[in-house]
Amino acid sequence: MPIVIPSNYTASDTEPEQRVAYFREDIGINLHHWHWHLVYPFDAADRAIVNKDRRGELFYYMHQQIIARYNVERMCNNLSRVRRYNNFRAAIEEGYFPKLDSTVASRAWPPRFAGTTIRDLDRPVDQIRSDVSELETWRDRFLQAIENMSVMLPNGRQLPLDEETGIDVLGNLMESSIISRNRPYYGDLHNMGHVFISYSHDPDHRHLEQFGVMGDSATAMRDPVFYRWHAYIDDIFHLYKYKLTPYGNDRLDFPNIRVSSVSIEGGGTPNTLNTLWEQSTVDLGRGMDFTPRGSVLARFTHLQHDEYNYVIEVNNTGGSSVMGMFRIFIAPTVDESGKPFSFDEQRKLMIELDKFSQGVKPGNNTIRRKSIDSSVTIPYERTFRNQADRPADPGTAGAAEFDFCGCGWPHHMLVPKGTTQGYPMVLFVMVSNWNDDRVEQDLVGSCNDAASYCGIRDRKYPDRRAMGFPFDRPAPAATTLSDFLRPNMAVRDCIVRFTDRTRQRGQQGYIDSNRRQRSTEPCGCPSVNVDIDALIRKPYYYIPCNHKHHIF
Ligand SMILES: N[C@@H](Cc1ccc(O)cc1)C(=O)O
């Protein structure tokens, strides 16, 4: 008999934040986040390991999308968008009691009580000493760099933030690493925010307690404060984006390409996305001890959706075939009080669902794209693959490949939960000119199918446009989304309908489409099996990792 992991086990309904616990505590979401940080480490001493193409920009974009998705999930559950944690002297209202332990590490994860304030850290055992005022100094310098549109270099010169590389420079300063342009001056804002919060229950180690879930990328997304912190980080990046010139027609339009419609076809009503609960079983055997002793099955419940197709009608009025880059997003239409969104608010809630290149012949084209082929997600089987198959020690090429394959938003979380009455959203598609967007490179290796949030291993990010294009910049001329539309774009109102029933994964008649391997599936990922180490702790990766300027 499998052990049943109950849903909603970390708090009662008295805690409003509990309404989105299914998102925060989703095992697949936490696995994605952990893998992302394994693929894009900040703590390697070897520059080559850290210096991946557009790493800083991807740090910004992947986390921006997490915040967009989380905010939409909150609105589906009658919660308002997350409040930024921007006052380091104020108490953090939300508490979090993780109820996690790790038998292999013989450690329990401490809780954070509601109303905790971060305090100056002095923990010799962890070689950390840092004052809250340091966070404020780094934050102020960061804001100054954005204000001046230039970064101070160690030699006193200024490095202008240009529209090509500025976001990447800022992202690499925000998550400090060996490739940051001026580490001593801009410090370590993002990581140290995590660290301060994770030690807020025992800042001077008098209780001999270890860090809380915010201190580890494998567990941080469980805690409501993760999103408050990242909403603030995101806001800082947006301040920078507000400084850029809005995209003009030359960047937005694709002459001769006319998108006449986009729609959703699925099992039932047109333009309706259906969500429900699903119960799945994974093997946690490997995490129970140092040596595998067979299976320990755990059954857990997660959000799921019915698969669907995007149907896009495109007319090519030019005489010859062209390649288009199709960019598909979805966003809510009204705010917490039922008021339609302005363009500027709505663009920040645009969730990328898919991005793909596709030939468009002269005349009319009907393009059908399966939801399972999303460039954002990896299939369920890969999210929950057997960690015991990891080929070698961390740091080797085999392990790096294995880790890379685990990066990708879990497919079962592609679609927000919606509501039982039907949550109104707007689907957006844009076709841009692939000749302008493409990146010439050979694509070797596997697991290149979740590039939107994870890139391609040891290659360039496969899209020359800014990540999040066309919604990454403001468009003051557009009051609403319809003002923003060009002939190569289309929108469709749709409904996300949640049915409060639970199906069993694998049960006949229910999940045929889910189990289909994706068409471009490069990895054979047969076994559904998960390592509790990956869910709960990382045996070879501890914080603090090389916080050089904080070490005694
Ligand atoms: N581990 C990081 C902090 C961190 C924690 C969780 C994260 O998701 C990201 C960063 C450090 O030591 O600096």
Side-chain angles (χ1 to χ4, degrees):
M1 271 301 283
I3 304 160
V4 176
I5 304 178
S7 13
N8 280 355
Y9 63 97
T10 47
S12 73
D13 292 348
T14 312
E15 171 54 64
E17 294 296 324
Q18 196 59 12
R19 291 183 218 157
V20 283
Y22 67 88
F23 181 97
R24 287 188 278 105
E25 290 166 0
D26 183 84
I27 299 171
I29 282 184
N30 281 277
L31 281 167
H32 160 68
H33 183 249
W34 172 51
H35 279 97
W36 191 95
H37 282 279
L38 286 180
V39 174
Y40 295 97
F42 66 88
D43 55 344
D46 181 352
R47 235 189 129 79
I49 294 177
V50 181
N51 197 11
K52 306 221 162 90
D53 184 50
R54 294 169 75 181
R55 177 205 185 282
E57 184 177 8
L58 198 52
F59 171 80
Y60 139 75
Y61 183 58
M62 197 281 288
H63 289 93
Q64 187 275 330
Q65 285 286 292
I66 286 177
I67 294 301
R69 286 175 172 275
Y70 184 64
N71 276 332
V72 173
E73 219 66 56
R74 291 179 70 85
M75 288 193 280
C76 293
N77 287 282
N78 252 315
L79 293 167
S80 51
R81 279 165 281 178
V82 60
R83 272 184 313 131
R84 297 169 303 151
Y85 176 60
N86 58 348
N87 179 354
F88 308 152
R89 305 288 168 173
I92 299 167
E93 253 170 57
E94 297 82 355
Y96 186 65
F97 291 69
K99 298 170 186 56
L100 285 182
D101 60 18
S102 172
T103 42
V104 275
S106 181
R107 87 111 120 177
W109 291 81
R112 188 187 61 263
F113 287 76
T116 305
T117 307
I118 62 169
R119 284 172 289 165
D120 298 343
L121 294 179
D122 186 1
R123 296 181 52 107
V125 67
D126 300 303
Q127 299 187 306
I128 290 185
R129 189 166 60 198
S130 182
D131 289 354
V132 176
S133 61
E134 268 188 285
L135 272 189
E136 291 165 332
T137 303
W138 299 332
R139 187 259 321 269
D140 294 344
R141 290 176 180 169
F142 216 94
L143 296 178
Q144 193 64 55
I146 292 171
E147 187 54 35
N148 300 343
M149 286 299 269
S150 80
V151 159
M152 161 97 85
L153 295 176
N155 62 9
R157 294 236 175 96
Q158 294 283 329
L159 172 77
L161 294 170
D162 63 51
E163 64 165 31
E164 278 282 300
T165 58
I167 187 71
D168 194 47
V169 169
L170 289 176
N172 282 324
L173 282 179
M174 182 62 93
E175 194 187 46
S176 165
S177 71
I178 193 167
I179 64 168
S180 302
R181 301 307 291 258
N182 192 350
R183 255 181 139 172
Y185 188 70
Y186 292 101
D188 197 0
L189 186 57
H190 161 261
N191 280 340
M192 285 306 285
H194 275 270
V195 171
F196 270 99
I197 295 169
S198 74
Y199 286 126
S200 57
H201 58 288
D202 194 15
D204 58 9
H205 201 227
R206 75 178 63 194
H207 298 294
L208 308 176
E209 282 288 310
Q210 293 177 332
F211 56 83
V213 293
M214 266 294 271
D216 192 318
S217 61
T219 50
M221 285 184 72
R222 293 174 170 266
D223 189 329
V225 78
F226 173 93
Y227 305 88
R228 295 202 52 200
W229 179 229
H230 273 278
Y232 185 46
I233 304 257
D234 199 39
D235 196 59
I236 296 176
F237 287 126
H238 279 301
L239 285 179
Y240 165 73
K241 292 282 186 175
Y242 277 110
K243 292 272 192 177
L244 303 179
T245 317
Y247 294 118
N249 254 349
D250 55 324
R251 313 287 266 297
L252 293 174
D253 198 5
F254 186 179
N256 297 331
I257 297 298
R258 298 320 177 222
V259 179
S260 55
S261 84
V262 59
S263 55
I264 285 179
E265 68 179 18
T269 332
N271 302 312
T272 299
L273 295 165
N274 295 302
T275 63
L276 74 171
W277 299 123
E278 186 171 82
Q279 215 176 43
S280 301
T281 305
V282 291
D283 186 351
L284 300 181
R286 199 183 94 98
M288 295 301 165
D289 209 327
F290 283 106
T291 44
R293 287 209 191 120
S295 298
V296 179
L297 296 179
R299 181 168 290 170
F300 66 106
T301 304
H302 55 87
L303 189 63
Q304 185 56 282
H305 59 271
D306 292 336
E307 299 302 334
Y308 57 89
N309 296 329
Y310 308 98
V311 185
I312 305 162
E313 302 287 346
V314 191
N315 185 239
N316 176 355
T317 58
S320 50
S321 293
V322 293
M323 280 295 274
M325 186 77 113
F326 288 68
R327 301 164 187 275
I328 304 180
F329 292 83
I330 198 165
T333 58
V334 293
D335 69 10
E336 293 86 343
S337 59
K339 207 165 88 293
F341 277 119
S342 66
F343 176 77
D344 202 51
E345 280 185 295
Q346 197 175 34
R347 73 180 178 88
K348 294 178 189 154
L349 295 166
M350 282 285 176
I351 295 174
E352 183 176 333
L353 291 177
D354 203 354
K355 179 162 71 180
F356 56 95
S357 55
Q358 164 88 43
V360 184
K361 62 180 176 13
N364 289 329
N365 297 255
T366 301
I367 287 146
R368 272 204 166 67
R369 170 84 173 178
K370 295 182 186 131
S371 55
I372 191 81
D373 288 335
S374 168
S375 64
V376 172
T377 62
I378 56 175
Y380 178 91
E381 289 75 10
R382 200 171 336 136
T383 294
F384 295 105
R385 78 220 149 123
N386 190 348
Q387 295 282 328
D389 292 342
R390 178 182 246 272
D393 291 333
T396 61
E401 164 93 24
F402 187 82
D403 289 343
F404 185 76
C405 290
C407 190
W409 193 251
H411 190 72
H412 64 268
M413 296 303 285
L414 177 68
V415 178
K417 184 177 171 204
T419 58
T420 46
Q421 313 90 294
Y423 185 70
M425 297 194 79
V426 61
L427 183 73
F428 167 94
V429 64
M430 163 179 196
V431 184
S432 60
N433 189 344
W434 183 76
N435 271 329
D436 298 339
D437 309 346
R438 73 172 153 179
V439 171
E440 299 289 355
Q441 58 186 345
D442 60 310
L443 289 182
V444 291
S446 47
C447 302
N448 290 338
D449 57 342
S452 288
Y453 298 167
C454 293
I456 295 184
R457 190 160 102 83
D458 296 334
R459 290 290 180 278
K460 293 202 156 119
Y461 190 77
D463 179 6
R464 287 220 324 245
R465 306 274 182 156
M467 296 180 197
F469 175 80
F471 296 115
D472 63 307
R473 292 194 195 176
T479 312
T480 63
L481 180 59
S482 45
D483 301 336
F484 181 75
L485 298 181
R486 303 295 195 279
N488 57 324
M489 305 175 187
V491 289
R492 169 75 65 186
D493 284 325
C494 51
I495 291 288
V496 185
R497 193 179 303 281
F498 170 68
T499 306
D500 194 2
R501 65 154 213 239
T502 308
R503 73 182 171 201
Q504 299 279 330
R505 185 170 189 83
Q507 201 171 79
Q508 261 226 320
Y510 279 134
I511 64 157
D512 298 355
S513 54
N514 279 331
R515 299 193 69 195
R516 189 169 53 222
Q517 288 271 302
R518 43 171 80 188
S519 357
T520 52
E521 178 58 89
C523 278
C525 306
S527 110
V528 177
N529 188 319
V530 73
D531 172 9
I532 201 167
D533 285 354
L535 308 182
I536 292 178
R537 62 176 290 277
K538 294 170 288 182
Y540 47 84
Y541 172 78
Y542 291 102
I543 72 162
C545 302
N546 202 15
H547 291 292
K548 280 221 174 74
H549 44 282
H550 310 289
I551 291 175
F552 288 98

